[in-house]
Amino acid sequence: MLRPRVSPTLLLHNGGLVKTRRFAEPRYVGDPINAVRIFREKEVDELFIFDIDATAQQREPDYALIETLAAECAMPLCYGGGVCRADQAQRLIGLGVEKVAVSSAAIARPELVSEMAAEVGQQSVCVVLDTRRVPGEARHELMLHRGRQGAPHDPVATAIRFAKLGAGEIVFNAVDRDGMREGYDLDLAANAQLQLSVPFTMLGGAGTVENLSELFKVCGPIGASAGSLFVFKGDARAVLITYPDRATRDRLALIALSESIV
Amino acid sequence: MIKILDYGVGNVRAFLSLFHRLDLPAEAAATAAALDGASHLILPGVGAFDQAMAMFDASGMRSQVEDLVLGERIPLLGVCVGMQMLARRSSEGVRAGLGWIEGDVQLLGNGEAGERLPHMGWNDIRPVGDHVLARGLEDGRAYFLHSYVFELADRADEIAVTDYVRDFSCMIGHQNIVGVQFHPEKSHRWGAQILRNFARMHPC
């Protein structure tokens, strides 16, 4: 049976790895090559690496660094940041990246997703949607401009449109939960579980392994990604790279299995 | 020497890195001349079937690869779309496949069971016989990223199955030609084991 995917998300900023809180306060965590090597040794399911400056600075992805990181990955790698053209996606796949993620560029120009899918195949196209629960309300909306501005579009409806355009995976990145370690946005996840016909991954909020379990209970074998959970330890947020062991992941797989739709 | 066919489609670099870590000599080959000295061939592939076949046909290597694989019968491993290229045809595209293993490639499921496609993530590998390629896989599993699967014409060519929507062939083989639907270069110890097994195959 398909297992749930548990992945670290690493953020690149000025060539180093950082962690953020609600998309602010970037804090240096370590050297990316070293971190990737450690996660490889821990046999993580897959890895997401996002360059948080590339799009804002309107520069190309750091292809040399990405190629080095990809060569260290014995697991699939999804890269995002600065991608706005299908030829960039093609180049990244050629460097050893399995999935290429786009966010603001796809929202600005949705046809990009179809162009990428035509170039590298739907399975390698990932759309990242930054989301938040609308303050004081039950519904959710998209967040634009690096999580600073709400836009009145339902994230799941948006995801369905992108899936139709050729996205093979959607990542819902909860800005309001980023770094807070209070659990995933389970309402959003439950909505996506009901309506989305492509794989999706939740990111933002995971503070304990129990949070992963909660998510899989609701959604079955989807992706659960986390930054803080695998990179910080304790209230003082000391830097320590960890990852659930195989026994824990087998337990999570059983939980997801009981919710699986296939 | 293991040669990884570099025809513009697929994760050549990841294979080279993995073989390097396994201490197995391997090189990329992008031209027919570069195939000299090949003892094993890897046919990687990602993306769409038609595009992969078109790129392979345009690479200038197909004729030499056919001599090696169909003539000298050296082992060849098709990976992901590379495995699908071994078929006669794929319903994903209009081009003919290589036709080296009898069967066709079909879409996995038809959407009625509510399954998510592509099949994305780690899933279990269940060997069905005792083929050398599947040896030594304890709790075998690998990373899958695909929507299409190989429907074998001859069940005897099935090496291992995986369950998603239904059981499908995740490892296939006919004499010296084998294929895996998942990504062994991105499947940690299990992928490494399969590639080690492949390196031990002989011409047949």
Side-chain angles (χ1 to χ4, degrees):
Chain A
M1 284 303 305
L2 181 66
R3 294 158 180 271
R5 293 169 287 127
V6 176
S7 62
T9 285
L10 304 180
L11 305 179
L12 284 176
H13 173 63
N14 293 337
L17 290 184
V18 297
K19 253 312 291 168
T20 52
R21 239 188 170 140
R22 289 187 164 158
F23 279 35
E25 310 168 26
R27 190 172 138 168
Y28 181 74
V29 160
D31 167 63
I33 296 170
N34 209 40
V36 169
R37 266 194 204 124
I38 294 172
F39 282 125
R40 183 184 82 225
E41 279 156 27
K42 293 182 180 300
E43 295 188 314
V44 302
D45 291 340
E46 61 184 358
L47 192 57
F48 289 87
I49 296 182
F50 299 134
D51 182 332
I52 61 175
D53 304 314
T55 298
Q57 292 170 1
Q58 291 188 301
R59 59 166 170 77
E60 293 281 319
D62 186 342
Y63 294 109
L65 175 60
I66 294 163
E67 182 172 22
T68 303
L69 296 175
E72 293 290 334
C73 280
M75 59 278 183
L77 173 61
C78 177
Y79 169 83
V83 179
C84 56
R85 301 187 317 269
D87 68 273
Q88 292 170 313
Q90 181 73 273
R91 184 168 175 187
L92 288 162
I93 296 294
L95 293 177
V97 171
E98 269 65 44
K99 297 184 277 185
V100 179
V102 284
S103 192
S104 52
I107 289 169
R109 202 174 69 83
E111 316 81 75
L112 169 63
V113 171
S114 305
E115 290 161 9
M116 286 171 65
E119 197 67 35
V120 299
Q122 183 213 16
Q123 78 292 324
S124 293
V125 179
C126 176
V127 173
V128 177
L129 299 176
D130 297 334
T131 70
R132 74 167 175 182
R133 186 193 202 104
V134 178
E137 297 186 42
R139 65 190 175 89
H140 292 79
E141 63 179 5
L142 293 183
M143 292 295 285
L144 306 180
H145 304 299
R146 287 178 68 176
R148 284 192 290 271
Q149 190 184 342
H153 302 290
D154 175 61
V156 177
T158 305
I160 290 169
R161 276 203 301 280
F162 277 123
K164 281 207 182 78
L165 285 170
E169 180 184 18
I170 305 290
V171 174
F172 294 103
N173 188 10
V175 177
D176 50 344
R177 292 183 169 259
D178 173 47
M180 303 307 289
R181 306 187 71 156
E182 291 167 0
Y184 288 106
D185 191 329
L186 295 177
D187 288 335
L188 178 58
N191 243 330
Q193 154 69 352
L194 280 175
Q195 301 184 57
L196 208 47
S197 62
V198 297
F200 67 96
T201 294
M202 299 301 293
L203 173 62
T208 62
V209 171
E210 186 55 35
N211 291 149
L212 303 176
S213 172
E214 285 162 6
L215 180 63
F216 298 142
K217 228 180 243 143
V218 169
C219 295
I222 58 157
S225 198
S228 308
L229 177 60
F230 303 134
V231 152
F232 285 140
K233 177 98 181 137
D235 294 328
R237 297 170 80 212
V239 176
L240 175 68
I241 290 180
T242 65
Y243 188 75
D245 61 21
R246 196 106 68 82
T248 303
R249 284 187 284 149
D250 283 345
R251 186 170 58 78
L252 291 171
L254 280 174
I255 288 167
L257 184 60
S258 61
E259 285 310 308
S260 187
I261 50 178
V262 272
Chain B
M1 172 71 70
I2 299 166
K3 304 260 184 176
I4 298 137
L5 297 170
D6 184 0
Y7 62 103
V9 177
N11 201 337
V12 176
R13 182 78 199 260
F15 280 102
L16 290 173
S17 300
L18 182 45
F19 281 122
H20 178 74
R21 279 197 290 272
L22 292 176
D23 262 326
L24 290 168
E27 283 174 358
T31 64
L35 292 170
D36 275 353
S39 63
H40 295 71
L41 294 175
I42 305 250
L43 178 67
V46 294
F49 182 88
D50 276 1
Q51 196 185 50
M53 281 305 306
M55 302 278 291
F56 187 55
D57 284 341
S59 70
M61 291 191 284
R62 180 166 175 173
S63 173
Q64 176 73 344
V65 170
E66 275 167 350
D67 284 348
L68 290 168
V69 172
L70 304 177
E72 290 178 43
R73 314 190 68 82
I74 73 168
L76 175 134
L77 170 67
V79 175
C80 199
V81 174
M83 164 171 149
Q84 295 175 359
M85 287 161 70
L86 302 175
R88 287 179 296 224
R89 73 185 75 83
S90 169
S91 64
E92 188 191 3
V94 298
R95 294 184 78 105
L98 296 167
W100 294 347
I101 294 186
E102 288 297 308
D104 301 323
V105 172
Q106 306 284 349
L107 185 65
L108 180 55
N110 53 15
E112 285 175 9
E115 67 277 3
R116 291 188 209 293
L117 287 181
H119 177 209
M120 177 185 290
W122 289 81
N123 205 334
D124 302 321
I125 297 166
R126 283 149 39 215
V128 298
D130 187 38
H131 196 282
V132 60
L133 194 66
R135 294 224 182 106
L137 290 176
E138 297 290 318
D139 287 325
R141 63 192 70 175
Y143 194 95
F144 290 81
L145 188 58
H146 65 111
S147 299
Y148 289 80
V149 294
F150 202 117
E151 296 293 351
L152 289 166
D154 186 354
R155 205 92 256 133
D157 291 337
E158 189 170 68
I159 294 174
V161 296
T162 291
D163 174 20
Y164 185 68
V165 181
R166 57 172 172 82
D167 276 357
F168 67 87
S169 309
C170 65
M171 295 173 72
I172 63 175
H174 188 80
Q175 298 172 341
N176 57 311
I177 301 166
V178 291
V180 295
Q181 181 59 69
F182 47 81
H183 285 274
E185 77 283 15
K186 294 302 181 102
S187 294
H188 292 304
R189 71 181 69 182
W190 300 276
Q193 181 63 39
I194 287 163
L195 291 175
R196 262 197 297 265
N197 292 343
F198 174 66
R200 290 194 191 110
M201 284 180 64
H202 299 292
C204 51

